[in-house]
Amino acid sequence: MSRWMSNTQALTEQAAQYRALAERGDLPGLSRAVVRAACANGSMTGVGYENMELLRALPGKDRMELAGIWARWYAEVEDDWSAEEFGRSPEYVRTELLMAASGVARGLDGDLLAAERRQRLAGLRDQYLVWSSHRIWELADAELAAGRTPDSAVLAAFRRTGAAAAMPGFRRTQAAANGAEPGMRNLLARFPGPVLNPGEPWADAALEEAATGGEPWQRLLEHAAPATADAPSAKWIRTGSALLDAVGTEEARRAVLRWLELADLDRTSPLLGHPHLPFDVNLSFDPYNSHVLRGLAWMLSFLPPRPDTVDALARLVETALDHRSGHAPRSAQVAVAGIVALARIGDRAARTELRTLSSWVTHKGASRRIDEALSVL
């Protein structure tokens, strides 16, 4: 069973009920049982991955009959009957009907409720994270199966949500639960889009230059730092070094320095935050892009040391520890990546910058990494 609902016994019982109703040919009863369960399942509503697969294993005729019933209810729910049976508001039930119909008809009829799916997904375009208690990514899954790709702003919201699942301060939130859900992660693996989320000046510049430079540059940007790694592994270093050679080490150095200079600038396309986020999302780093930024900082340390490289990395640490967005730094992880890169360079200029940073940095994790670096240089 997937992790979206802790009471897996309830899902098992629901599956048995669905099978019994389907075997009797009672599709109206099955349609009502599915929606009733979908409105009651755990912290995130929905049919669930396993039970949706069970429904999609039914004959195509039965699947389309179910989808048709849910599509009619979607249009009539507020007029013909209330949500009292399901314990949810009419709008809540409509969302579950949209997901159930889209999921069961996937691969058979991509046009059923397509406009409604696109409208619902469009509401994510300006969201920093996906906080919905519905399994809303299933709508994007249905659109991809129909041969239509939601735009990059929708992808960006899902990407940031996936990245936030591993970030301190997010782990007990609804957004983190969404980001950790295997169904959403499977979607992200298939969702085509730009290698970076647009909307940050440095990322916009990198995307533009990579588009001109072609595949080697795209692959360089794809080599993001692993979300949970504090320093590059030997394998990561080998791959990163080969990618730098492929684009040309001097060209890569100049480009990355240009991008890092832009990292100090705020977002160009505003996003909506959330009451659970005690910072201005438009003044913080995109949590998905930040892993690429970390990787670029690491890769600078693979190149011959240069004063401008050391200066850029020190500025990146300062920018990442800036509290302009609220009481927390813009990205402590990015700051640590810059510190690790300076330590790897380890020349006189790098040591000087690390000592300067040690004199004012108060963030515990970053300060500890500076002290560790200075102790061995």
Side-chain angles (χ1 to χ4, degrees), residues 152 159 193-198 202-204 206-207 221 288-290 292-293:
S152 59
R159 280 174 164 176
V195 65
L196 290 169
N197 289 340
W202 82 266
D204 294 340
L207 286 170
L221 291 178
Y288 180 84
N289 289 352
S290 67
V292 178
L293 199 55

Side-chain angles (χ1 to χ4, degrees), residues 198-263:
E200 292 182 309
W202 82 266
D204 294 340
L207 286 170
E208 183 177 352
E209 293 188 47
T212 302
E215 182 182 355
W217 287 92
Q218 294 285 344
R219 290 170 53 214
L220 184 75
L221 291 178
E222 288 171 356
H223 194 48
T228 57
D230 287 336
S233 65
K235 180 179 179 180
W236 199 95
I237 291 172
R238 287 194 299 272
T239 302
S241 298
L243 293 172
L244 290 170
D245 290 340
V247 301
T249 55
E250 188 56 27
E251 280 189 81
R253 187 188 67 81
R254 289 198 298 265
V256 174
L257 292 184
R258 287 195 298 271
W259 302 338
L260 293 192
E261 187 174 355
L262 297 173

Side-chain angles (χ1 to χ4, degrees), residues 83 104 132 217 220 277 351:
V104 81
S132 174
W217 287 92
L220 184 75
L277 299 179
R351 292 195 300 273

Side-chain angles (χ1 to χ4, degrees), residues 82 126 189 193 196 211 229 245 250 311 316 354 362 376:
S82 74
D126 59 357
L196 290 169
D245 290 340
E250 188 56 27
D311 289 344
L316 179 64
L354 286 169
T362 58
V376 297

Side-chain angles (χ1 to χ4, degrees), residues 34-287:
V34 168
V35 178
R36 187 182 299 116
C39 288
N41 281 346
S43 62
M44 278 190 290
T45 61
V47 178
Y49 176 80
E50 292 86 358
N51 283 341
M52 181 53 75
E53 289 299 301
L54 182 156
L55 295 174
R56 276 200 287 263
L58 296 174
K61 179 176 178 296
D62 291 350
R63 290 168 58 191
M64 288 309 304
E65 184 174 341
L66 284 173
I69 291 172
W70 291 327
R72 289 194 298 274
W73 287 1
Y74 181 90
E76 300 168 356
V77 60
E78 292 180 318
D79 296 327
D80 287 0
W81 44 271
S82 74
E84 291 179 4
E85 176 184 353
F86 303 109
R88 300 287 188 176
S89 69
E91 183 58 27
Y92 206 101
V93 176
R94 283 167 66 87
T95 301
E96 291 303 326
L97 289 168
L98 179 60
M99 291 192 297
S102 298
V104 81
R106 197 177 79 190
L108 294 177
D109 185 353
D111 293 328
L112 182 72
L113 296 176
E116 291 80 0
R117 278 197 301 275
R118 289 195 291 271
Q119 182 181 18
R120 189 60 61 95
L121 289 170
L124 302 178
R125 298 185 76 258
D126 59 357
Q127 298 296 309
Y128 183 70
L129 299 175
V130 179
W131 291 89
S132 174
S133 58
H134 304 282
R135 298 163 60 80
I136 209 76
W137 55 87
E138 293 182 353
L139 303 183
D141 215 357
E143 283 297 285
L144 289 177
R148 294 182 295 265
T149 302
D151 68 30
S152 59
V154 174
L155 169 62
F158 284 129
R159 280 174 164 176
R160 285 189 293 269
T161 305
M167 294 174 64
F170 288 87
R171 292 178 183 140
R172 294 182 180 273
T173 67
Q174 182 67 60
N178 289 343
E181 164 60 27
M184 199 189 86
R185 293 192 174 279
N186 291 339
L187 168 70
L188 288 176
R190 304 191 307 276
F191 205 139
V195 65
L196 290 169
N197 289 340
E200 292 182 309
W202 82 266
D204 294 340
L207 286 170
E208 183 177 352
E209 293 188 47
T212 302
E215 182 182 355
W217 287 92
Q218 294 285 344
R219 290 170 53 214
L220 184 75
L221 291 178
E222 288 171 356
H223 194 48
T228 57
D230 287 336
S233 65
K235 180 179 179 180
W236 199 95
I237 291 172
R238 287 194 299 272
T239 302
S241 298
L243 293 172
L244 290 170
D245 290 340
V247 301
T249 55
E250 188 56 27
E251 280 189 81
R253 187 188 67 81
R254 289 198 298 265
V256 174
L257 292 184
R258 287 195 298 271
W259 302 338
L260 293 192
E261 187 174 355
L262 297 173
D264 185 52
L265 303 180
D266 301 332
R267 289 191 60 85
T268 56
S269 56
L271 296 172
L272 296 177
H274 190 274
H276 288 174
L277 299 179
F279 59 86
D280 186 337
V281 299
N282 294 304
L283 299 178
S284 64
F285 285 152
D286 184 304

